[in-house]
Amino acid sequence: MEEVEERVLEVNEAMGRSEPRSGDRGGGVRARVRAAGPEVAGFALAGGCAYAADLGLFIWLRGSAGMDPLGAKTLSFVAGCSVAYLGNALGTYRRRALGVSRLRQYAVFFAVNVAGALVQLLCIGISHYGIGLTSARADTISGAGVGMVLATVVRFWGTRTFVFRSRPVDEGGAVVASAMEPAGGGRLGSWTG
């Protein structure tokens, strides 16, 4: 609890306030929301670039390249995930998850994005087949509207929770090993011995 209070004081000090505002409950809700602003903006920028890459490649593959829709979407999805990963790894979360394999990060990031895509498909499925809203407009609203919003929430949560976790650092800024990591950084060993 003391760590939270110390962090709130640091944030308040950085914002030029000596005490939390009267409307801040639980140690500075407003401060936490403000502190998350750059992270959300960076995540949104990386996502916007990924969306543009996905859409542009899909249109090109379907049009000029004459590819089938599922193959084109698969390739454009992987390209979009790659652009989003690079934007987040080199931009938004560049100071997080230091010392973790980039390949592992990308694999988990890809899995989080697949989960987001499944959320969008689930929204279309419920709307189209469950509720019976079968028009093209209803499919667009459920998939690209409601589904995209829910999928973005899943992706944001999954990205910051599983891919780019904050790791504890000591006073000098060095990453502190967790109880599950061996001293010196290597592997714990294989379950096969």
Side-chain angles (χ1 to χ4, degrees), residues 7 35 39 92-100 104-105 156-170 173-178 181:
R7 179 69 182 135
E39 179 183 4
T92 310
Y93 298 106
R94 67 186 169 277
R95 292 184 185 94
R96 285 199 187 174
L98 301 172
V100 176
R104 180 202 173 279
Q105 280 182 342
F156 180 74
W157 173 80
T159 297
R160 73 187 322 241
T161 303
F162 299 117
V163 183
F164 300 108
R165 294 184 297 230
S166 292
R167 297 185 63 193
V169 293
D170 63 14
V175 175
V176 177
S178 73
E181 295 176 11

Side-chain angles (χ1 to χ4, degrees), residues 4-155:
V4 172
E5 291 173 359
E6 288 176 14
R7 179 69 182 135
V8 169
L9 290 174
E10 289 174 11
V11 170
N12 283 331
E13 194 173 285
M15 293 188 316
R17 295 193 317 234
S18 58
E19 300 176 8
R21 292 185 181 161
S22 60
D24 291 348
R25 294 185 195 155
V29 172
R30 287 183 189 161
R32 283 185 283 164
V33 169
R34 264 195 213 117
E39 179 183 4
V40 171
F43 184 83
L45 180 62
C49 292
Y51 178 75
D54 184 337
L55 181 63
L57 185 59
F58 178 75
I59 290 170
W60 180 77
L61 289 172
R62 283 292 290 139
S64 300
M67 199 170 195
D68 68 287
L70 292 178
K73 187 58 192 169
T74 300
L75 290 177
S76 71
F77 178 77
V78 171
C81 285
S82 300
V83 168
Y85 172 76
L86 288 171
N88 283 303
L90 302 176
T92 310
Y93 298 106
R94 67 186 169 277
R95 292 184 185 94
R96 285 199 187 174
L98 301 172
V100 176
S101 160
R102 293 279 189 195
L103 183 59
R104 180 202 173 279
Q105 280 182 342
Y106 183 77
V108 175
F109 187 83
F110 190 80
V112 166
N113 277 276
V114 168
L118 292 175
V119 166
Q120 287 181 274
L121 290 174
L122 183 64
C123 288
I124 292 174
I126 289 171
S127 170
H128 193 95
Y129 301 106
I131 300 173
L133 302 173
T134 58
S135 71
R137 179 178 286 165
D139 288 344
T140 301
I141 291 169
S142 64
V146 176
M148 179 64 83
V149 169
L150 294 176
T152 300
V153 170
V154 167
R155 287 179 175 120

